[in-house]
Amino acid sequence: MSLATPDGRARLVSLAKPHLARLREGPLRTLILDELARLTRLTRADLESGKTAETAGPERAVVQAIAARPVLRALQLLLEQPALAAQVGNLELLAQADAPGIGLLVAVIEHFRDHPDATAARLLELWREEERGQALARVAMEPLELGEEMFAREFGDAIAHLAQKGHKARAQALLAEARRRELTGAEQKELDALSRHKAGSKPA
């Protein structure tokens, strides 16, 4: 889908409108509408009324939506409840997970941990001109369809799944290093701990 053509911009509006309809009124919805208006060369009033673009013009395409479901889910929940970032333990290990979008998730967690008073709307505004901000705006438009009482549990499950992938990736990296050279004491200790974690996580 190219935003350089009227058809492409119209398609973006068509795809975005069902997600916008599910967003509650507030600063986050306003920011997303403003970003969509910028990309499609429409006004917010046009978007609300269902009009499509009539004139062409080069625009940078919206960054592809996050593909990995646990990453997408965790990002959605963080945008709704930034305080969930405090639940995450080892960010370095989480970053090792082989999942599309994990870098964005880690960056969002770091931001909300470093800025406890931050909101999703402020973060989207801060990153507005960056590719990661555009990707995050796409995530914010995805329907969450989850009761607020389930946010913490769902977030914990997504992070646990990704952390497990991070453990596996880090262990594999250390094993590969061990085939090339002798591991340092610290590395061997880390590998042993990762191996124990893997053994402990296996079902009985």
Side-chain angles (χ1 to χ4, degrees):
M1 178 175 64
S2 172
L3 298 185
T5 67
D7 286 345
R9 294 193 293 276
R11 177 165 171 75
L12 176 59
V13 173
S14 176
L15 291 171
K17 285 187 73 65
H19 303 304
L20 285 170
R22 294 185 177 95
L23 285 175
R24 295 190 295 268
E25 291 292 338
L28 179 58
R29 189 175 189 277
T30 298
L31 278 174
I32 292 172
L33 273 171
D34 287 344
E35 179 65 12
L36 187 60
R38 183 182 72 81
L39 290 169
T40 57
R41 295 183 176 272
L42 295 170
T43 66
R44 284 177 53 197
D46 288 337
L47 291 172
E48 295 282 15
S49 66
K51 292 182 181 178
T52 57
E54 297 295 333
T55 58
E59 283 287 354
R60 182 170 55 183
V62 179
V63 176
Q64 184 178 8
I66 304 304
R69 188 63 186 176
V71 172
L72 173 61
R73 201 61 160 172
L75 283 168
Q76 288 178 298
L77 292 163
L78 276 173
L79 291 177
E80 288 289 334
Q81 286 190 1
L84 291 172
Q87 293 185 14
V88 184
N90 193 333
L91 271 182
E92 291 185 5
L93 201 55
L94 184 67
Q96 300 284 328
D98 182 18
I102 193 67
L104 177 60
L105 175 59
V106 169
V108 172
I109 292 172
E110 285 181 330
H111 181 85
F112 284 143
R113 280 170 46 165
D114 293 342
H115 306 86
D117 296 329
T119 64
R122 290 175 188 169
L123 179 57
L124 285 170
E125 179 62 27
L126 181 65
W127 292 357
R128 181 187 180 95
E129 301 301 325
E130 303 178 36
E131 288 190 355
R132 60 181 180 174
Q134 295 178 13
L136 207 56
R138 284 287 300 275
V139 171
M141 287 193 292
E142 290 289 328
L144 185 55
E145 297 176 353
L146 183 71
E148 190 171 346
E149 69 280 359
M150 294 294 294
F151 283 8
R153 179 177 177 180
E154 189 88 0
F155 181 75
D157 288 346
I159 293 299
H161 176 81
L162 292 166
Q164 188 65 32
K165 291 171 72 74
H167 276 89
K168 181 179 179 180
R170 179 56 179 162
Q172 289 176 339
L174 287 171
L175 287 170
E177 279 297 307
R179 289 192 287 269
R180 294 176 52 250
R181 61 173 175 82
E182 184 177 355
L183 297 179
T184 66
E187 288 172 332
Q188 186 61 55
K189 185 176 180 180
E190 182 183 4
L191 179 58
D192 291 343
L194 290 169
S195 299
R196 288 194 298 271
H197 172 86
K198 181 179 179 181
S201 64
K202 289 180 179 179

